C-alpha cells in the first residue's frame, strides 16, 4: 500500500486528490492536508469583496465533503517537509510519512515586497484569499459612505493580472449603479508592458480591447509603471509621482510558502517547485507539484518583472497528469507517462460585459507562436462565469476532477488537456567490420 499526500485543498489540490482517488485502487491511501477548513472558489472573490456574493456561497466544508470520497482529510498547517526522509511535519506536532507528496499549496502573498502593501500592516486591499476579500468588503462599504479616488492595479513581480482588470471594471459598474461614479476618479496602474499583456503577451487583440474598456469607462491607465510604496492616501511610483487614493487594491507578487522555501533543494529562491514535463520534481522522485506553486518561467522578459499566470484549467490539467504518472509508477496502469498541455482559459466579469481569454498553449513555442490566442467579449461571458462557478462547486461536491463529458467537450474544440510523453528511441549501434 502507498500513501499519497496532497498538501493544499484549493483549485489544484482538491482536484488532484479526487483524480488520485479515481485512478488508484482503494488499497492505496489518499490524504489531503489543508490549513483551511473550507474549499473556496477563488475566481469569485472579486464578487465577494464588492458585496455581490456571500463567501459561504462559494465554499465547501472539506471535512464533510472529501470523507464521502474515501479521502482522509487533515485540517492542519504544514510546518516542514523533508523530501529525503519523506516526512511532513504539521503545526500540531504530528509527523506524517508518505510515499508520494503532491504539493498544491497555492501561493503565499509577498506582502513585504513593497512598503505599505497589504491590508494588515499596510494600506492596500486584496482579493487573493477569503480573509482578504472579507476585509476588502468591509473597507468598500466604508468607502461608499465617503467616496474619493481609487487606485487598482498590480505591483512589480505580480503574475495574475486578470483579477485586477475584473475588480476595476466591477468597481466602475457598481459606482455607476449607485450614482457615485462622477465623484470617484479611478486609476489603473499595471506593471505589464502594456494593458492586456496578462503576463503572457501575444494575446490577439487584448491590448486594444483593454485600452478601449478603460477609455469607455474613463479609467486612467498607467502601463509599464512600477509602484514604489504606499501610504494611507497615496500610491507612490518609482519615477517619483504620487497618485492620490482613498481605496487601493493592488495585486501582490506570489511566492511559495515558508516551509517549502526552507526545504533544502526543493524550490527555487522564490519557493516555487521545479518540475520535469511529468510534473515530478527533478531531484526528489516522490515529489510532484500542481498549480500556482509550480515553477513556470515567464513567457518573456519585460521591462518591469512579471510572472506567468497559472489559471484553474492548467491546475486541473496538472492534476490529471500527475495522477496518471503516479499510477504508472505504482504499477496500477500501463502506457507512457504524460504531461499537461497547459492551455489557459479565463472568464472575467466586467459588470455590464465580460471577456473570455484563450491561450493555446499558455507558453508559446520557441518562435513565440501559439496555436490559438483568442478573446471574446460580451455579457454572455459574465453569465458563463457565474454558471461555471456553480458547475465547479458541483464537481467538487461529487468528487470529480474533469468528468468524461467535459473531457469530450475539450477534445471537440481541440484542447486535449494531457498528452503522452513519447520516449525518443536510442540510435541503433553501428557495427564496424574489420
Amino acid at each position: 500500500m502507498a500513501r499519497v499526500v496532497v498538501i493544499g485543498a484549493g483549485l489544484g489540490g482538491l482536484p488532484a486528490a479526487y483524480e488520485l482517488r479515481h485512478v488508484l485502487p482503494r488499497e492505496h491511501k489518499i490524504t489531503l492536508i489543508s490549513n483551511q477548513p473550507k474549499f473556496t472558489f477563488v475566481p469569485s472573490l472579486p464578487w465577494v469583496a464588492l458585496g455581490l456574493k456571500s463567501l459561504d456561497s462559494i465554499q465547501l466544508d472539506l471535512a464533510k465533503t472529501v470523507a464521502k470520497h474515501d479521502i482522509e482529510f487533515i485540517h492542519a498547517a504544514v510546518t516542514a517537509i523533508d523530501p529525503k526522509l519523506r516526512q511532513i511535519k504539521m503545526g500540531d506536532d504530528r509527523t506524517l510519512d508518505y510515499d508520494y507528496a503532491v504539493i498544491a499549496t497555492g501561493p503565499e502573498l509577498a506582502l513585504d515586497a513593497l512598503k505599505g502593501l497589504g491590508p494588515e500592516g499596510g494600506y492596500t486591499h486584496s482579493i487573493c484569499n477569503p480573509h482578504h476579500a472579507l476585509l476588502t468588503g468591509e473597507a468598500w462599504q466604508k468607502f461608499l459612505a465617503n467616496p474619493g479616488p481609487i487606485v487598482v492595479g498590480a505591483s512589480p513581480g505580480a503574475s495574475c493580472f486578470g483579477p485586477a482588470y475584473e475588480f476595476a471594471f466591477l468597481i466602475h459598474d457598481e459606482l455607476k449603479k449607485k450614482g457615485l461614479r462622477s465623484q470617484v476618479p479611478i486609476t489603473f496602474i499595471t506593471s505589464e508592458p502594456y494593458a492586456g499583456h496578462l503576463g503572457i503577451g501575444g494575446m490577439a487583440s487584448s491590448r486594444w480591447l483593454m485600452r478601449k474598456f478603460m477609455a469607455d469607462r474613463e479609467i486612467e491607465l498607467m502601463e509599464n509603471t512600477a509602484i514604489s510604496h504606499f501610504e494611507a492616501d497615496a500610491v507612490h511610483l518609482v519615477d517619483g509621482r504620487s497618485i492620490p487614493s482613498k481605496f487601493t487594491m493592488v495585486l501582490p507578487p506570489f511566492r511559495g510558502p515558508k516551509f517549502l522555501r526552507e526545504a533544502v533543494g526543493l524550490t527555487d529562491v522564490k519557493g516555487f517547485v521545479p518540475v520535469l514535463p511529468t510534473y515530478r520534481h527533478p531531484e526528489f522522485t516522490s515529489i510532484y507539484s500542481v498549480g500556482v506553486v509550480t515553477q513556470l518561467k515567464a513567457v518573456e522578459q519585460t521591462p518591469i518583472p512579471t510572472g506567468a499566470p497559472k489559471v484553474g484549467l492548467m491546475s486541473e490539467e496538472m492534476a490529471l497528469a500527475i495522477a496518471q504518472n503516479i499510477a504508472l509508477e505504482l504499477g496500477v496502469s500501463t502506457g507512457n507517462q504524460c504531461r499537461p498541455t497547459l492551455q489557459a482559459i479565463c472568464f472575467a466579469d466586467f459588470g455590464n460585459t465580460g471577456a473570455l481569454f484563450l491561450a493555446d498553449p499558455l507558453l508559446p513555442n520557441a518562435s513565440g507562436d501559439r496555436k490559438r490566442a483568442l478573446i471574446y467579449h460580451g455579457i454572455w461571458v459574465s453569465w458563463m462565469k457565474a454558471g461555471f462557478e456553480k458547475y465547479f462547486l458541483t464537481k467538487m461536491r461529487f468528487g470529480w476532477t474533469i468528468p468524461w463529458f467535459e473531457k469530450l467537450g475539450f477534445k471537440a474544440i481541440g484542447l486535449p488537456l494531457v498528452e503522452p510523453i513519447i520516449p525518443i528511441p536510442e540510435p541503433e549501434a553501428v557495427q564496424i567490420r574489420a
Side-chain angles (χ1 to χ4, degrees):
M1 181 196 83
R3 180 196 285 270
V4 185
V5 177
V6 180
I7 307 173
L11 292 173
L14 190 53
Y18 284 152
E19 189 63 18
L20 285 160
R21 182 70 290 161
H22 176 68
V23 302
L24 297 182
R26 291 301 189 264
E27 65 191 72
H28 301 293
K29 188 167 189 176
I30 310 299
T31 300
L32 179 66
I33 304 175
S34 175
N35 62 350
Q36 299 296 321
K38 294 183 179 181
F39 167 82
T40 302
F41 188 71
V42 171
S44 293
L45 288 179
W47 291 336
V48 172
L50 293 175
L52 303 176
K53 189 176 285 286
S54 70
L55 182 59
D56 288 345
S57 69
I58 61 166
Q59 291 186 317
L60 298 175
D61 186 290
L62 287 167
K64 294 179 181 177
T65 303
V66 301
K68 299 175 184 176
H69 306 293
D70 197 24
I71 295 171
E72 178 189 25
F73 175 64
I74 299 176
H75 178 207
V78 174
T79 56
I81 183 169
D82 189 327
K84 292 182 179 179
L85 296 179
R86 299 189 181 188
Q87 286 186 336
I88 293 167
K89 293 184 179 179
M90 292 170 277
D92 54 8
D93 293 330
R94 273 186 291 179
T95 298
L96 191 67
D97 295 320
Y98 64 85
D99 296 287
Y100 292 95
V102 178
I103 298 173
T105 59
E108 177 181 290
L109 307 182
L111 298 176
D112 54 356
L114 297 176
K115 183 181 177 183
L117 181 62
E120 296 162 313
Y123 306 105
T124 71
H125 305 295
S126 162
I127 51 173
C128 296
N129 61 46
H131 176 59
H132 284 179
L134 290 177
L135 292 178
T136 301
E138 293 172 4
W140 175 246
Q141 294 305 316
K142 293 178 182 177
F143 171 85
L144 291 175
N146 187 19
I150 287 177
V151 170
V152 178
S155 61
S159 57
C160 187
F161 298 92
Y165 289 102
E166 194 167 26
F167 198 69
F169 296 146
L170 284 172
I171 278 179
H172 163 84
D173 197 57
E174 285 301 296
L175 290 173
K176 191 174 180 181
K177 289 176 182 176
K178 297 178 186 300
L180 298 173
R181 183 63 182 89
S182 61
Q183 303 176 39
V184 181
I186 302 177
T187 304
F188 190 89
I189 303 174
T190 180
S191 54
E192 302 160 275
Y194 55 83
H197 180 275
L198 303 174
I200 59 176
M203 277 303 297
S205 59
S206 62
R207 184 174 189 169
W208 170 84
L209 188 64
M210 290 302 105
R211 285 183 170 180
K212 181 179 186 303
F213 281 167
M214 294 284 178
D216 289 348
R217 291 158 177 77
E218 298 184 325
I219 297 175
E220 182 179 356
L221 173 61
M222 303 180 72
E223 307 165 299
N224 197 34
T225 301
I227 297 171
S228 167
H229 63 283
F230 304 91
E231 291 184 343
D233 57 356
V235 177
H236 298 278
L237 308 181
V238 169
D239 62 13
R241 288 179 292 171
S242 296
I243 311 300
S245 182
K246 195 168 187 177
F247 183 95
T248 305
M249 199 296 290
V250 171
L251 299 176
F254 292 162
R255 63 186 173 209
K258 182 180 178 183
F259 80 90
L260 293 179
R261 302 196 305 271
E262 291 177 344
V264 178
L266 184 60
T267 72
D268 63 18
V269 294
K270 292 184 178 179
F272 295 113
V273 181
V275 292
L276 300 170
T278 58
Y279 277 65
R280 195 197 78 194
H281 194 279
E283 300 295 331
F284 303 111
T285 58
S286 63
I287 297 285
Y288 285 81
S289 183
V290 168
V292 177
V293 77
T294 306
Q295 184 188 73
L296 195 64
K297 293 184 179 179
V299 174
E300 61 184 7
Q301 294 296 317
T302 53
I304 300 170
T306 60
K310 300 145 196 173
V311 300
L313 177 61
M314 294 167 62
S315 296
E316 290 182 283
E317 293 171 355
M318 295 176 197
L320 292 176
I322 64 102
Q324 292 185 41
N325 292 334
I326 289 175
L328 278 170
E329 290 195 31
L330 290 173
V332 171
S333 60
T334 58
N336 294 318
Q337 292 181 313
C338 62
R339 62 185 163 206
T341 50
L342 297 186
Q343 292 98 351
I345 298 178
C346 180
F347 302 98
D349 174 31
F350 294 161
N352 62 349
T353 187
L356 184 155
F357 302 87
L358 167 64
D360 177 21
L362 178 83
L363 303 176
N365 59 28
S367 60
D369 297 323
R370 295 184 176 92
K371 296 176 185 176
R372 285 176 289 184
L374 306 172
I375 298 177
Y376 301 98
H377 62 93
I379 189 61
W380 59 271
V381 180
S382 299
W383 300 338
M384 282 188 69
K385 178 175 178 177
F388 182 73
E389 172 206 285
K390 296 183 185 306
Y391 170 66
F392 196 92
L393 288 169
T394 299
K395 288 201 303 179
M396 295 302 100
R397 288 189 186 96
F398 281 92
W400 300 337
T401 302
I402 298 184
W404 66 267
F405 53 85
E406 189 178 350
K407 290 178 184 176
L408 192 63
F410 279 121
K411 188 175 181 180
I413 61 173
L415 300 178
L417 304 181
V418 297
E419 61 187 9
I421 299 173
I422 308 300
I424 300 174
E426 295 183 5
E428 296 182 5
V430 178
Q431 295 182 352
I432 300 176
R433 295 182 179 180

